[in-house]
Amino acid sequence: GVKVAQTTTTQYNVTGLSADTQYKFTVKAVSQNNISSDPSNELTVKTNQDTGTAEKPTAPTNLHAMGTTVNSVSLMWGPSTHSQGIQHYEIFQHGVKVAQTTTTQYNVTGLSADTQYKFTVKAVSQNNINSDPSNELTVKTNQNTGTGQIYCGSEVYNAANAYPTANTRVFYQCKIWKNKWYANPNELPGTNLVWEEVSVCTEGPDCQNNQPVTYCGAQEYNPAKAYTVANTKVFYACKIWENQWYANPGEIPGQNMVWKLVSNCNEGVNCVGAKSAVQDKLSFIVSDNVLNLEPVSSYEKIEEVKIFDTRGTLILSFSKPVKNGMTISSLLSGMYFTGIVYSDGTYITKTFKK
């Protein structure tokens, strides 16, 4: 009969009660003009006995490393369960709590290069009961093989490193790049769609004399770059194109409606003469798990055909391909990007569907 709480919802957790004790509860509603209802039915309920053995969450399972860098380790584990749910997870480094998270993964940073660390994880239930620790993971950070040099506020890209944290900025080939998701070692900026170009950086060695090349007043199209501003002009396949709206990486002019053709441009390499026309007409034919080029005369001019998935990961590569020589039986059904390298150094991008 004594008011102990109020709530705007139709549920409430009454705490601070004694163990193994009977209580009686009723509820009243109060209108916006402060008129109380009659009481609800009376509920009689008894709290549990205190057995001294509170229910623990199950321990996190399969603690493992998703990747390491010179100063970080990306951890992941299997989820815990508890009748009242899991509040958060606590990460321990050499037995000392260093962080907590509500997800089943965490990137531990600020570590030393070429150093061994031990990690465990515990779950904490909604009623603040800790689980037993997970398995102990021993992992060693990478050696610092980079220079540590910083240009335009970003460290020089190191191909030996993984970059597990999205939006990490690096300096590479006189440009600043950021990764859109986990970047594996050797997924190079400019050749893999995990990296997005941010800006040009002239602070690096020889970068002052390495300004972007333009053709007919437009920079060459970069498939690893997002073009965020509408009406940006680019040079691609001996033509000038303009994006009508935000163009994502890999949305290639001539193959995606985001780009509209502005004009032809003869200033690019090999844009004068029949060669560019032949390259424009290049197409792929997929049959019986074999990829072939049309026209057949294209083979004698091509050094290499590279095949990427839609995330920009290199899957297959064929050097000096020949007719019926590109077997793609290992590829799943779907859309793929290709990079075609010509003998004269020209590089074009096409797509095909298996």
Side-chain angles (χ1 to χ4, degrees), residues 128-347:
N128 293 311
I129 305 298
N130 284 22
S131 74
D132 291 328
S134 67
N135 58 295
E136 185 177 73
L137 173 69
T138 300
V139 63
K140 193 174 186 180
T141 51
N142 298 346
Q143 291 183 342
N144 190 354
T145 57
T147 63
Q149 185 65 53
I150 292 176
Y151 299 111
C152 297
S154 300
E155 189 169 348
V156 173
Y157 171 76
N158 185 347
N161 287 349
Y163 292 85
T165 305
N167 299 315
T168 298
R169 298 190 176 213
V170 298
F171 170 86
Y172 184 73
Q173 292 187 343
C174 300
K175 294 177 181 177
I176 301 300
W177 308 78
K178 68 177 180 180
N179 58 328
K180 294 176 287 184
W181 52 81
Y182 190 111
N184 291 298
N186 294 310
E187 291 185 336
L188 303 178
T191 62
N192 194 289
L193 291 179
V194 65
W195 293 101
E196 179 180 325
E197 183 183 327
V198 176
S199 63
V200 173
C201 176
T202 59
E203 291 182 7
D206 300 320
C207 288
Q208 292 81 359
N209 300 318
N210 193 20
Q211 298 298 319
V213 176
T214 61
Y215 300 105
C216 300
Q219 289 187 24
E220 192 168 9
Y221 171 74
N222 182 349
K225 178 180 178 179
Y227 291 85
T228 59
V229 180
N231 303 316
T232 299
K233 290 182 172 59
V234 298
F235 169 84
Y236 181 77
C238 301
K239 294 179 175 66
I240 301 299
W241 307 80
E242 184 177 271
N243 62 328
Q244 303 176 78
W245 51 82
Y246 189 112
N248 291 298
E251 292 183 339
I252 298 168
Q255 300 176 32
N256 193 288
M257 292 297 294
V258 66
W259 296 99
K260 68 177 181 180
L261 178 62
V262 176
S263 64
N264 291 322
C265 177
N266 293 327
E267 292 183 5
V269 179
N270 301 312
C271 285
V272 179
K275 178 176 257 189
S276 63
V278 171
Q279 292 174 9
D280 273 349
K281 294 178 182 178
L282 179 70
S283 60
F284 288 107
I285 297 176
V286 180
S287 62
D288 299 326
N289 285 316
V290 174
L291 185 66
N292 277 312
L293 300 173
E294 287 291 341
V296 176
S297 58
S298 302
Y299 286 104
E300 62 189 43
K301 305 168 186 175
I302 292 176
E303 273 299 310
E304 186 178 12
V305 173
K306 301 178 180 180
I307 299 178
F308 304 86
D309 65 15
T310 53
R311 292 185 61 180
T313 302
L314 179 64
I315 301 175
L316 292 172
S317 179
F318 301 97
S319 180
K320 296 187 182 300
V322 295
K323 187 176 173 75
N324 298 321
M326 291 186 287
T327 302
I328 56 172
S329 57
S330 62
L331 300 184
L332 300 175
S333 298
M335 186 68 70
Y336 294 90
F337 294 107
T338 60
I340 300 104
V341 182
Y342 283 81
S343 302
D344 61 7
T346 303
Y347 184 91

